[in-house]
Amino acid sequence: MDEILAGNASFSVYEEIRSKLIEKGVPADQVRFIHEAKTDLQKSKLFDEMNRGEARVLLGSTTKMGAGTNVQRRLVALHHVDAPWRPADLEQRDGRIERQGNLFYEQDPDGFEIEILRYATKQTYDSRMWQTIEYKAAGIEQFRKGDGLQRVIEDVASEAANAAEMKAAATGNPLIFLQVQLAADLKKVEALFSNFKRNQHALDSRITWLEEADKRADRSVARWNGEIAKRDAGTGSSFMFRTAAKSYSEDNKDQLLGAILGCMKVAVERKAEDTFQRAAIIRVGTYRGFEIDVSCSRHKIQFTITGNDSYEPDNLVYRTDDKFSLPGFISRIDNFLDRFEAWRADAEHSRIGERDELAKAKIEKGKPFQQQSRLENLREDSRDVMTELKLMQADDNYVSTWTPKSTVLQGNAAPEAKKMRA
């Protein structure tokens, strides 16, 4: 197609662009056509000349200058003379310049910019071409989001947004361009408003929870006070561990070790008899006012401590291949029982933290949506601009004097260039 357009047609856009560039002072040998390179060796030579700066302008079609065209070393601008049919083609074109390996970026990473320029002629088929790109890109972006229940695109973004603006600009009617911008802005603010309402609903639930902070803290403090009182009442001046059969003191700890190991053995045997039954709980004895039980589950032995409530401390789990020592076992129980005061302090600390959070949540709940006025104006403007377009369609002589309430335009209605960071 490049050869046909450039050689066999009465008008060649390639030659026209080159002639205009030459008139502007660009040397003829610095303007090159991609179809001049017919072999891989010729392409490689052409690409090297571009990267060295010997050639400054390279013209070609999407197909000819697609993947494998690595001429980005000194590129500063990309020009879309026409609109392709597929969003992927538009992305492929931009990929010639939006890539690593640019010399000027390496020299000034923070200040370097490239230009991507798209062209359209008013009141021509360009409008239809950009509209096609818009529809296709929007559908692809919705599919990529992966939400099968979504019926409305939340926002026009990426190539879909570019195509929408180019389509509107190509119609020659500023109201159409305005309608596109209004629709895009409205979708953005609607999305923010939906997120605001979700946050307000979440705040309602959170406030309801936080208002129970004192009740939760009171229950927790009462629980640990009860356990502390039970522990202190059962703690004597000397070591004492009681089983159903006997009380063990410091003098007969060896016998206590045998008794505990015996209980552990029974728990293992009970589990082995029927692996599908719940683990049998074997009473070991009483220590510092708390009942100590043991059970076997698969390949671990768990000791349970019961005061006003029952606990299964992580530090009282033994694997079948772990070594068991009585001093270590007693030390683990003591460490657990001595943590009650810390847990009571945690409850009080949580009370204070949740009170502070409740105050902040109520303040946040009372705040209105900051863009409420803009949202209402955008909604009204979106309705009014469609009314104006219908009036223009019905009467060719109708001249609209309508102006939007929301501020959506900055500068010209149809920008000719788009600057992007590399």
Side-chain angles (χ1 to χ4, degrees), residues 74-363:
R74 298 173 186 270
L75 292 186
V76 294
L78 177 74
H79 301 257
H80 293 276
V81 179
D82 62 358
W85 280 106
R86 299 176 300 182
D89 293 335
L90 202 59
E91 186 176 353
Q92 183 67 249
R93 291 180 181 183
D94 291 347
R96 298 313 95 212
I97 192 171
E98 292 179 342
R99 58 194 305 162
Q100 295 179 348
N102 194 298
L103 174 65
F104 303 119
Y105 171 78
E106 295 171 0
Q107 293 175 350
D108 184 13
D110 295 329
F112 175 71
E113 287 184 344
I114 59 171
E115 276 190 325
I116 295 180
L117 301 101
R118 297 181 171 93
Y119 300 89
T121 304
K122 293 181 180 181
Q123 298 179 341
T124 67
Y125 200 69
D126 285 351
S127 175
R128 173 60 177 166
M129 293 288 290
W130 285 108
Q131 184 182 50
T132 301
I133 288 289
E134 176 194 3
Y135 287 161
K136 292 180 178 179
I140 291 170
E141 287 162 13
Q142 182 174 10
F143 178 78
R144 284 176 176 172
K145 289 181 180 179
D147 185 358
L149 299 177
Q150 187 176 2
R151 295 177 179 269
V152 179
I153 299 294
E154 291 183 0
D155 191 14
V156 179
S158 187
E159 299 304 339
N162 298 330
E165 292 186 358
M166 289 301 295
K167 174 198 72 176
T171 63
N173 187 341
L175 272 186
I176 294 180
F177 185 81
L178 179 58
Q179 186 274 329
V180 170
Q181 287 193 306
L182 282 169
D185 283 358
L186 179 58
K187 287 179 180 178
K188 292 177 182 178
V189 181
E190 289 280 16
L192 292 175
F193 184 58
S194 296
N195 187 60
F196 170 79
K197 290 192 293 184
R198 285 193 295 268
N199 289 340
Q200 290 291 299
H201 180 70
L203 277 173
D204 285 335
S205 300
R206 186 61 180 168
I207 288 173
T208 300
W209 163 261
L210 292 172
E211 286 176 339
E212 300 292 321
D214 284 331
K215 291 182 179 180
R216 285 192 300 275
D218 289 343
R219 288 194 299 268
S220 186
V221 169
R223 172 189 181 184
W224 298 123
N225 281 337
E227 300 292 26
I228 291 170
K230 188 175 186 64
R231 178 201 65 193
D232 293 347
T235 303
S237 58
S238 58
F239 174 81
M240 183 62 63
F241 195 108
R242 295 179 176 85
T243 66
K246 186 177 180 180
S247 295
Y248 298 86
S249 63
E250 192 73 38
D251 296 333
N252 51 2
K253 279 188 175 180
D254 290 342
Q255 297 177 22
L256 174 60
L257 175 61
I260 296 175
L261 291 175
C263 293
M264 295 169 66
K265 183 178 179 181
V266 171
V268 172
E269 291 175 347
R270 294 277 183 89
K271 181 61 179 175
E273 291 174 359
D274 191 345
T275 56
F276 297 101
Q277 291 287 338
R278 294 183 60 184
I281 299 176
I282 307 302
R283 175 59 48 83
V284 177
T286 302
Y287 176 67
R288 296 181 68 181
F290 287 78
E291 295 174 351
I292 311 298
D293 299 318
V294 65
S295 61
C296 179
S297 175
R298 294 187 178 180
H299 301 294
K300 69 178 183 179
I301 296 174
Q302 173 73 63
F303 284 89
T304 303
I305 297 178
T306 303
N308 298 316
D309 289 308
S310 292
Y311 311 92
E312 293 185 346
D314 292 337
N315 68 336
L316 288 176
V317 177
Y318 291 86
R319 303 290 174 180
T320 54
D321 55 348
D322 289 343
K323 292 183 178 180
F324 183 88
S325 69
L326 183 61
F329 175 67
I330 298 300
S331 178
R332 293 185 185 192
I333 298 177
D334 288 336
N335 288 337
F336 177 78
L337 297 179
D338 292 341
R339 293 174 65 186
F340 293 154
E341 283 83 358
W343 288 330
R344 181 178 60 186
D346 288 343
E348 291 291 357
H349 185 267
S350 295
R351 183 204 304 270
I352 296 172
E354 290 182 355
R355 281 177 177 174
D356 292 342
E357 185 182 350
L358 175 61
K360 294 177 182 178
K362 287 183 176 180
I363 293 174

